[in-house]
């Protein structure tokens, strides 16, 4: 997950908390994938709700971080953006090799790669009422407008699909722009920004400074450990 803020310890700690939650969620998903459990991540509201909360949190923290750091040099922003975009491409290629029929063409990193420049160079300059109106529209539009033209991999990034595509991760701009927009609104609160600059547990602060690295590495590590465990048990 992208990290774009100047050092705000409590924001780093909050992000790290979500990173650990994400890792725990994916570990449970992997247990089901390895058939250790029978949890249904595609139909059970418990797991679906957690995915929504985790994604919403990361997008909110990104909007908040971007909102409080929008004065940073464009060169620094684009360096970080290139890392995010490169990671998104890596995820697409890796998932295509692992899941050729359900590879990730527009997942969470792809959404970040599109939303962050839009926010940095346009949306972050809007007043709170306009941002909240856009957030409400982002949530409402996918329910009000669906068309088959948006069902292909070339167009489903918009989110106006008639059915969810077969893919291992799908985070279209609509409705997922909404939490980031709300984060931009929160960034306009001087009191919140002051609170985020306060102290937080050092391990969480350090972990929260490496969201993209953590995101890319945690699943290979978890899957590797489960594979090793499975082979050890079968020996």
């Amino acid at each position: 997950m992208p990290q774009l803020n100047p050092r705000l310890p409590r924001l780093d700690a909050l992000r790290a908390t979500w990173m650990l939650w994400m890792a725990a969620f994916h570990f449970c998903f992997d247990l089901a994938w390895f058939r250790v459990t029978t949890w249904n991540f595609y139909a059970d509201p418990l797991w679906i709700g957690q995915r929504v909360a985790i994604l919403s949190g990361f997008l909110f923290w990104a909007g908040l971080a971007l909102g409080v750091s929008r004065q940073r040099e464009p060169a620094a922003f684009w360096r970080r953006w290139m890392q995010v975009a490169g990671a998104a491409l890596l995820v697409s290629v890796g998932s295509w090799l692992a899941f050729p029929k359900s590879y990730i063409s527009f997942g969470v990193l792809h959404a970040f790669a599109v939303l962050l420049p839009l926010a940095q160079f346009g949306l972050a300059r809007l007043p709170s009422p306009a941002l909240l109106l856009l957030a409400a529209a982002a949530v409402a539009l996918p329910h009000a407008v669906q068309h088959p033209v948006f069902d292909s991999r070339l167009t489903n990034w918009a989110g106006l699909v008639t059915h969810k595509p077969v893919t291992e991760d799908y985070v279209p701009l609509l409705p997922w722009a909404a939490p980031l927009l709300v984060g931009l609104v929160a960034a306009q609160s001087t009191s919140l920004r002051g609170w985020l600059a306060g102290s937080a547990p050092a391990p969480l602060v350090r972990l929260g400074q490496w969201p993209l690295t953590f995101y890319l590495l945690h699943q290979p590590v978890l899957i590797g450990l489960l594979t090793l465990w499975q082979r050890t048990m079968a020996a």
Side-chain angles (χ1 to χ4, degrees), residues 61-216:
W61 305 135
L64 180 58
L66 192 147
V68 301
S69 64
R70 58 179 174 160
Q71 300 302 322
R72 70 161 42 204
E73 290 297 321
F77 172 86
W78 286 117
R79 280 196 300 270
R80 189 59 178 170
W81 179 85
M82 289 180 65
Q83 293 175 353
V84 174
L89 179 60
L90 182 64
V91 166
S92 288
V93 172
S95 63
W96 179 75
L97 293 173
F99 311 100
K101 294 183 179 180
S102 59
Y103 70 93
I104 300 169
S105 58
F106 205 84
V108 61
L109 290 181
H110 304 76
F112 274 118
V114 174
L115 287 170
L116 291 179
L118 292 176
Q120 174 77 5
F121 300 108
L123 296 173
R125 295 174 171 82
L126 296 177
S128 292
L131 290 170
L132 290 175
L133 183 61
L134 287 174
V139 173
L141 272 174
H143 298 285
V145 179
Q146 301 97 31
H147 195 280
V149 73
F150 294 104
D151 288 339
S152 76
R153 284 192 180 272
L154 294 177
T155 56
N156 64 21
W157 53 267
L160 305 178
V161 296
T162 62
H163 61 274
K164 185 180 181 298
V166 179
T167 177
E168 297 303 312
D169 189 29
Y170 180 54
V171 185
L173 299 186
L174 303 174
W176 290 106
L180 186 138
L181 292 167
V182 175
L184 290 174
V185 173
Q188 297 181 11
S189 168
T190 303
S191 59
L192 177 59
R193 293 167 68 168
W195 181 84
L196 291 171
S199 61
L204 287 178
V205 172
R206 285 193 292 270
L207 178 61
Q209 295 170 6
W210 297 92
L212 186 58
T213 302
F214 185 92
Y215 179 79
L216 291 175

Side-chain angles (χ1 to χ4, degrees), residues 13-75:
L14 286 168
R15 186 187 296 108
T17 302
W18 250 250
M19 291 159 62
L20 294 173
W21 185 6
M22 174 187 67
F25 177 87
H26 283 158
F27 180 68
C28 293
F29 177 89
D30 295 339
L31 289 176
W33 189 38
F34 276 77
R35 294 186 171 87
V36 177
T37 71
T38 58
W39 296 325
N40 188 335
F41 280 75
Y42 303 100
D44 190 332
L46 172 66
W47 301 111
I48 294 173
Q50 286 192 68
R51 179 181 182 271
V52 170
I54 291 168
L55 274 175
S56 297
F58 277 123
L59 286 158
F60 176 82
W61 305 135
L64 180 58
L66 192 147
V68 301
S69 64
R70 58 179 174 160
Q71 300 302 322
R72 70 161 42 204
E73 290 297 321

